[in-house]
Amino acid sequence: MAILVLEQCYNILNLLFVLTFVLLNSAHCFNPKSLNVSAVAEDSDWSLAGATFYGLPTGYGTDDGACGYKNAVAQAPFSSMVSAGGPSLYKSGRGCGACYQIKCTSNQACSTNPVTVVITDECQGCVRESFHFDLSGTAFGAMAVPGQDSQLRDAGVLQILFRRVECNYNGETVVFQVDNGSNAYYFAALVKYVNGDGEIGLVELKQALGSDTWLPMSHSWGAVWKLAVTSPLRAPLSLRLTYLDSGETVVASDVIPAGWQPGAKYKSNVNFQV
């Protein structure tokens, strides 16, 4: 009898050991933090991120976004393919206008085909992952197999792959929208449709009458830059943009004409090459 009891205890201990080994290894295999990105993606330039959507299922998020693009997000060239970014994507507004390819492979409704989105808003609560895209309903659904966009939205939070890409607005030139609070002593403008890097690190202003002095503007908020002066600005005004990362520049000469108006949009004849 004692021998039988010992054998049963031995068998139970062996079973507990096997179960413990399996559970520990299973937990390790499915821990997202331990995933090798290069093993998940076909190319090493893809990284992991979380993805959700906000607004209407087939909408453009919101026209009151933290970048300041307003209802332009629903129109070409943004065309509703936009996203709010968590802190590491929004970058306190410096990330506005950056373009990313995204794709999902974690759900049976995922097409696995990449789509391109632009950062046009901030997702203040998106801090669960290092990178998070709170996509428009349109952009979220674009990652789905055709006809299965509703099923994909029902999944809630997705794990996706993303990579930074150059923006290409297909012939669009840089547009400047003068802030409503601007006047002869204070000039502020929103910058949009910037090709290439998308992220602007510096905007400078030059006045008319043969001036060679470029005055650095301050980053105000979102995609808006501002400058305060002690004497009235002399138009037409030229604006020079510098990429945040590469330092490449482009000059929009005399883009703000004499008699400019607060709230008006002024289209330049230049953009960065891609």
Side-chain angles (χ1 to χ4, degrees):
M1 183 69 179
I3 294 174
L4 181 60
V5 170
L6 286 173
E7 286 182 350
Q8 289 176 339
C9 290
Y10 179 78
N11 290 334
I12 291 171
L13 287 173
N14 274 336
L15 179 60
L16 288 173
F17 175 80
V18 171
L19 288 173
T20 301
F21 178 82
V22 171
L23 288 172
L24 286 174
N25 280 276
S26 297
H28 173 75
C29 291
F30 291 98
N31 182 356
K33 293 183 179 179
S34 68
L35 286 173
N36 185 330
V37 175
S38 61
V40 176
E42 294 178 359
D43 302 306
S44 60
D45 57 345
W46 290 91
S47 300
L48 288 169
T52 47
F53 81 92
Y54 72 118
L56 297 175
T58 57
Y60 51 85
T62 177
D63 56 7
D64 192 28
C67 288
Y69 299 127
K70 297 187 178 180
N71 60 1
V73 297
Q75 305 164 7
F78 291 143
S79 302
S80 301
M81 292 298 291
V82 297
S83 178
S88 56
L89 296 172
Y90 181 69
K91 301 177 183 179
S92 299
R94 297 298 181 99
C96 290
C99 295
Y100 294 88
Q101 275 190 340
I102 59 172
K103 63 180 179 180
C104 73
T105 59
S106 59
N107 186 284
Q108 63 180 6
C110 293
S111 73
T112 74
N113 296 321
V115 297
T116 302
V117 297
V118 185
I119 299 299
T120 59
D121 199 358
E122 176 185 19
C123 184
Q124 295 180 336
C126 296
V127 294
R128 287 170 297 183
E129 303 91 1
S130 297
F131 297 94
H132 192 97
F133 292 83
D134 196 19
L135 300 154
S136 70
T138 297
F140 195 94
M143 295 188 295
V145 172
Q148 296 187 30
D149 51 316
S150 295
Q151 293 92 314
L152 190 62
R153 293 190 195 94
D154 289 342
V157 181
L158 286 178
Q159 184 181 84
I160 65 168
L161 298 171
F162 79 99
R163 63 182 176 186
R164 180 79 178 274
V165 295
E166 289 189 334
C167 298
N168 186 352
Y169 291 110
N170 296 320
E172 286 282 350
T173 55
V174 180
V175 172
F176 301 92
Q177 181 165 353
V178 180
D179 189 81
N180 285 324
S182 297
N183 54 59
Y185 297 89
Y186 172 81
F187 181 82
L190 177 139
V191 185
K192 59 185 176 182
Y193 310 145
V194 179
N195 276 341
D197 287 0
E199 296 180 357
I200 298 300
L202 177 65
V203 179
E204 300 165 283
L205 180 149
K206 187 172 72 172
Q207 302 183 67
L209 302 178
S211 173
D212 293 325
T213 302
W214 286 99
L215 304 173
M217 301 178 71
S218 301
H219 180 239
S220 181
W221 62 277
V224 178
W225 293 77
K226 64 182 180 180
L227 174 68
V229 293
T230 56
S231 57
L233 289 166
R234 304 185 303 274
L237 307 175
S238 299
L239 294 171
R240 181 166 67 186
L241 310 181
T242 303
Y243 277 150
L244 178 63
D245 294 329
S246 69
E248 184 182 347
T249 63
V250 68
V251 176
S253 298
D254 301 333
V255 66
I256 309 298
W260 57 268
Q261 296 294 318
K265 299 176 185 178
Y266 297 100
K267 187 174 183 177
S268 73
N269 59 0
V270 296
N271 209 332
F272 290 92
Q273 297 297 315
V274 291

